[in-house]
Amino acid sequence: MDFRDSPEEAQFRARLRTWLADIAGTFPTSGDEYWAKQGEWHRALYEGGFFGLSWPKEVGGQDLPPVYDVILDEELAIAGAPPRPSLGYLVVGLGHHGSPELQQRFLPGMINGTERWCQGFSEPGAGSDLASLRTTATRDGDEYVLNGHKIWTSYSDVADWCLLLARTDPEAPRHKGISAFVVKMKQPGIEQRPLKMISGVTKEFGQVLFDGARVPADQMVGAPGEGWKLAMTVVGHEREPSTLGFAARYGKLVRQLATRVDGPIPADLAWAAVEVEMLRLHVRRRLSEQLDGIVHGPDGSLDKLLMTWVDQSVGHAALAVGGTRDPELLGSYMYSRAQSVMGGTSQIQKNIISGRILGLGA
Ligand SMILES: Cc1cc2nc3c(=O)[nH]c(=O)nc-3n(C[C@H](O)[C@H](O)[C@H](O)COP(=O)(O)OP(=O)(O)OC[C@H]3O[C@@H](n4cnc5c(N)ncnc54)[C@H](O)[C@@H]3O)c2cc1C
């Protein structure tokens, strides 16, 4: 495959560079300020014509090949701009399982950023073992009544809507009694409590308590009991190669770290540089496969694991170079610790790889 830009891609890259140069320095890249302004950043990208590039036109996307997302990720990194908000997994979840009415109603606002979303899957007793979730949705006329407790819900403080998993049939086998809903967040019976991260960030996520909140029955996504299927689509997509476009961002940080070293390059930094290059080549291979129409199943777990290794290697390198004195580098190390937990832990990815790719175990 030829990885040079086609004339159209080169034109897109040039337009993006000019746009980024015009707005340089106006958006924060880390900490609470970044999370507080993420919605504004999302809308700015969309209005500039740079968000939802590979999603369908009918719902506000541009139907472009996935390589445009990678160009976007690369140019954002080069410009020192924040990453694009990641919500492809929600778009895919609703896109694959929602009725045409639900898709038309909700996907445009999700993509253009006028409506903010969160994902209400994990609970205090149900993370890796998601099928043991206990939040209930009980039918009452044309509505369901919600009771339960979600945790680690990213963007729950600003979300207008939540893609929620709840148990609708307590008698059914555990995977079959779960349904998915689009739930309005700002209503009586929903309380959001922020969680402070080890990096000091307080605005990224929280816990959400449901106490008699309501959702119209026609906002169930898919049929009753089909929530597990949606969950598998969503978590599978959280691990897909399109989310690996961070290679350029890591590469830039590694090069910046190298300029701060006086003596010999620390081993952690050298290793991070090797891993970043490996990730860059891996993203290209996956892109090439995507363009050939190859759909990845459990391979997404390999991608997630690789991305986690690279993220944490770069975090270690940041710590090796900056020590604990540089708050931004320390923050990037701290945040990298979360990578092996969010979107499914590394141990769970290894279970999937051993069982579904290598055919090991029961
Ligand atoms: C930054 C961040 C953002 C997040 N955002 C969201 C969000 O928006 N929405 C949402 O719903 N959730 C979100 N999560 C939650 C995330 O999906 C869960 O934390 C994750 O699935 C792990 O679940 P848990 O925390 O309950 O850990 P547990 O499942 O309790 O796991 C604890 C430890 O046991 C290990 N373990 C568990 N089961 C097995 C097994 N079968 N084999 C081997 N080891 C095992 C795990 O690997 C882990 O090391 C987020 C998490 C983070 C860190």
Side-chain angles (χ1 to χ4, degrees):
M1 184 177 177
D2 182 356
F3 285 114
R4 283 169 303 185
D5 287 348
S6 68
E8 295 77 25
E9 288 159 7
Q11 225 174 23
F12 172 82
R13 195 186 285 277
R15 188 164 63 82
L16 174 57
R17 269 192 192 171
T18 309
W19 184 79
L20 284 168
D22 286 347
I23 60 156
T26 52
F27 287 97
T29 51
S30 63
D32 267 351
E33 219 194 327
Y34 162 65
W35 291 105
K37 289 189 108 182
Q38 202 201 33
E40 225 178 288
W41 175 233
H42 180 165
R43 285 191 298 283
L45 279 172
Y46 185 84
E47 280 156 23
F50 303 113
F51 193 76
L53 301 170
S54 54
W55 293 331
K57 274 194 178 150
E58 311 87 79
V59 286
Q62 298 190 31
D63 263 331
L64 290 168
V67 68
Y68 282 83
D69 282 328
V70 175
I71 294 174
L72 174 65
D73 291 335
E74 281 176 356
E75 291 300 324
L76 293 178
I78 292 166
R84 69 188 150 114
S86 96
L87 42 85
Y89 53 95
L90 293 175
V91 173
V92 169
L94 209 54
H96 281 209
H97 300 273
S99 63
E101 293 73 28
L102 283 183
Q103 289 183 32
Q104 265 317 319
R105 162 63 188 90
F106 290 111
L107 285 177
M110 186 189 277
I111 291 171
N112 67 30
T114 50
E115 293 180 318
R116 307 288 305 280
W117 282 72
C118 63
Q119 176 198 337
F121 287 11
S122 305
E123 297 183 2
S128 303
D129 184 18
L130 187 58
S132 64
L133 64 85
R134 295 168 63 183
T135 295
T136 54
T138 312
R139 185 86 190 221
D140 179 26
D142 289 341
E143 295 180 321
Y144 281 84
V145 181
L146 304 170
N147 286 291
H149 183 176
K150 296 289 172 181
I151 195 165
W152 317 126
T153 319
S154 301
Y155 328 126
S156 50
D157 58 335
V158 290
D160 301 297
W161 301 98
C162 178
L163 186 62
L164 182 87
L165 291 181
R167 195 162 292 287
T168 42
D169 184 355
E171 307 304 323
R174 35 188 234 138
H175 292 85
K176 301 213 159 141
I178 298 170
S179 304
F181 296 90
V182 171
V183 176
K184 187 177 184 163
M185 285 292 283
K186 301 198 170 81
Q187 62 160 305
I190 295 187
E191 186 194 341
Q192 196 274 353
R193 293 186 189 157
L195 287 165
K196 185 172 180 185
M197 295 173 92
I198 195 172
S199 59
V201 167
T202 58
K203 290 214 175 295
E204 181 179 352
F205 65 1
Q207 27 190 343
V208 185
L209 285 87
F210 295 87
D211 181 11
R214 287 180 171 262
V215 55
D218 61 9
Q219 281 175 211
M220 181 184 280
V221 186
E226 287 193 351
W228 189 251
K229 279 193 199 157
L230 173 136
M232 292 304 98
T233 304
V234 168
V235 297
H237 198 80
E238 276 183 296
R239 299 164 193 157
E240 273 209 342
S242 52
T243 57
L244 292 171
F246 274 77
R249 193 163 291 275
Y250 295 135
K252 184 172 181 186
L253 182 55
V254 163
R255 283 190 298 280
Q256 280 173 344
L257 290 172
T259 63
R260 294 174 57 159
V261 176
D262 277 339
I265 296 285
D268 279 343
L269 182 53
W271 182 237
V274 170
E275 290 218 334
V276 168
E277 181 58 8
M278 184 173 68
L279 181 70
R280 193 180 70 81
L281 296 172
H282 180 77
V283 173
R284 268 153 180 65
R285 183 173 57 189
R286 284 289 196 236
L287 255 184
S288 163
E289 290 168 352
Q290 254 185 359
L291 292 173
D292 287 343
I294 297 172
V295 178
H296 292 105
D299 281 15
S301 291
L302 288 169
D303 296 343
K304 167 74 175 31
L305 206 53
L306 181 62
M307 165 101 172
T308 298
W309 284 341
V310 179
D311 195 90
Q312 296 190 340
S313 292
V314 174
H316 279 291
L319 198 62
V321 173
T324 50
R325 297 172 306 279
D326 182 320
E328 195 154 334
L329 292 183
L330 184 60
S332 110
Y333 169 76
M334 295 289 195
Y335 199 90
S336 75
R337 307 315 304 158
Q339 193 64 245
S340 47
V341 178
M342 64 171 94
T345 69
S346 290
Q347 286 81 4
I348 294 301
Q349 308 314 318
K350 288 178 186 170
N351 286 353
I352 296 171
I353 292 165
S354 69
R356 294 184 52 201
I357 299 181
L358 301 175
L360 302 173

